[in-house]
Amino acid sequence: MTSSRPVIDLHTHSTSSDGTQSPSELVETAAAAGLDVLAITDHDTVGGWEEATAAALRTGMTLVRGIEISCRQDGRSVHLLGYLTDPVASGLMAELARARKSRVTRLRLMVGKLAAAGIPLTYAEVQAQVAPGATPGRPHIADALVANGTVAHRDEAFATWLHDRSEFYVDHYAPHPAHAVRLVREAGGVAVIAHPFTRSQGRAVPDRLVEELAEVGLAGVEVDHPDHGDEERRRGEQLARSLGLLVTGSSDYHGSGKGNRLGQHTTHPEVLREIEDRSSGRTEVVRP
Ligand code: AMP
Ligand code: FE
Ligand code: FE
Ligand code: ZN
């Protein structure tokens, strides 16, 4: 008999941001897919935590509550995962609220530019794609364009109009990643830089930024990720080793919004234990 290693996926999205499944559906899908541990990490919000927690208790799923903070450094988009942060930590929560507010303004501006260029789209159509209280983003513009028949799927909308270098792209407020790492630490959580070598979202993160983040308390690097090829994974492992950082793996599942499959990449149980040990304990891993 071989005892198989638990399947741990530490980065997924629900309708609280740009995933297509509600937090309950996400947890239920993960349970049906045979995952042992799931992290919910919506963009800039803890809004899905409560529903996901109830679903985890119901389905017997171990749940790590987290967030994915949209940051910006030198004009580059950097995503930071924060695990087990205190949801009432005021510094972090204020920053996330500021980002979400700015995202609304930004979405309106992007819709205005698209409509002005003759692309059939209204802000109401976009709003209809955002679940109540969810973090709005470009994927919701894409969903509106799918719903009104302008494009066939999210990818097409991104490739044509919504990518970072598009003339229709508008920035939203996003903290510097070093500031976000400090806020996650202050909130008792554990910070892991998400998919640092993603190219589909602009320029990859330079090593010196990861070094700078390590100095202010970054705990790990998401190395095994659908956006990383063999080369990026080797580079990430090397970088993590040289800085003494943890290595995580995850799917970045977005439901039907992306091709990523739950459990596509996974994290070693020892790494999860470290993440848990390094958190303050103010937010615990949910174990049914
Ligand atoms: P935003 O945070 O509003 O700037 O939107 C960025 C989000 O768009 C990312 O978190 C991705 O989940 C999503 N995204 C980026 N590129 C694509 C793509 N080609 N297809 C589907 N979703 C994408
Ligand atoms: Fe996303
Ligand atoms: Fe991301
Ligand atoms: Zn993500």
Side-chain angles (χ1 to χ4, degrees):
M1 279 274 293
T2 53
S3 68
S4 60
R5 200 202 266 180
V7 181
I8 304 172
D9 188 339
L10 290 187
H11 180 171
T12 70
H13 296 266
S14 76
T15 49
S16 282
S17 64
D18 58 355
T20 59
Q21 291 184 305
S22 69
S24 312
E25 288 166 344
L26 170 64
V27 172
E28 283 155 15
T29 306
L35 263 65
D36 297 290
V37 182
L38 173 79
I40 180 170
T41 54
D42 278 305
H43 298 287
D44 301 330
T45 185
V46 300
W49 282 17
E50 198 177 319
E51 187 183 320
T53 300
L57 294 171
R58 203 165 59 235
T59 57
M61 175 63 63
T62 299
L63 180 74
V64 178
R65 291 168 287 188
I67 44 176
E68 183 176 21
I69 308 170
S70 306
C71 307
R72 191 172 303 111
Q73 176 261 346
D74 191 19
R76 164 195 297 118
S77 156
V78 179
H79 285 180
L80 186 79
L81 293 159
Y83 295 112
L84 304 171
T85 53
D86 182 343
V88 297
S90 55
L92 178 60
M93 288 302 123
E95 196 71 356
L96 298 183
R98 181 176 173 192
R100 289 195 305 270
K101 191 166 171 224
S102 163
R103 278 171 165 281
V104 174
T105 316
R106 172 265 200 145
L107 222 58
R108 279 189 184 280
L109 290 170
M110 284 190 72
V111 171
K113 284 183 149 201
L114 289 158
I119 296 150
L121 186 68
T122 65
Y123 185 69
E125 285 177 303
V126 176
Q127 243 184 335
Q129 299 299 324
V130 185
T135 301
R138 282 179 282 166
H140 300 108
I141 299 181
D143 290 346
L145 291 167
V146 173
N148 73 16
T150 306
V151 294
H153 42 71
R154 276 188 185 181
D155 262 352
E156 189 185 335
F158 270 90
T160 320
W161 297 304
L162 302 179
H163 58 87
D164 290 3
R165 288 179 205 79
S166 160
E167 60 181 297
F168 304 108
Y169 181 79
V170 178
D171 273 348
H172 58 79
Y173 168 74
H176 188 282
H179 183 50
V181 168
R182 285 195 202 93
L183 290 173
V184 167
R185 296 300 299 146
E186 276 167 32
V190 179
V192 171
I193 187 163
H195 48 76
F197 307 125
T198 296
R199 290 182 183 282
S200 58
Q201 287 175 31
R203 294 167 296 151
V205 166
D207 290 2
R208 65 181 149 70
L209 175 63
V210 182
E211 287 161 21
E212 181 191 337
L213 299 183
E215 278 165 24
V216 294
L218 182 76
V221 181
E222 187 180 53
V223 170
D224 297 314
H225 183 279
D227 290 353
H228 289 172
D230 290 345
E231 168 69 31
E232 284 81 17
R233 288 164 74 174
R234 261 197 304 277
R235 213 183 125 194
E237 259 164 41
Q238 239 169 38
L239 184 61
R241 200 179 311 120
S242 73
L243 295 171
L245 299 174
L246 302 171
V247 164
T248 70
S250 51
S251 66
D252 206 355
Y253 177 76
H254 281 70
S256 60
K258 270 189 186 177
N260 308 7
R261 290 168 288 108
L262 276 172
Q264 188 173 343
H265 295 287
T266 58
T267 296
H268 196 284
E270 288 289 348
V271 173
L272 175 59
R273 191 166 311 134
E274 273 297 321
I275 289 173
E276 213 174 338
D277 284 352
R278 293 184 196 188
S279 76
S280 70
R282 277 180 273 163
T283 292
E284 297 188 322
V285 173
V286 178
R287 286 201 174 76

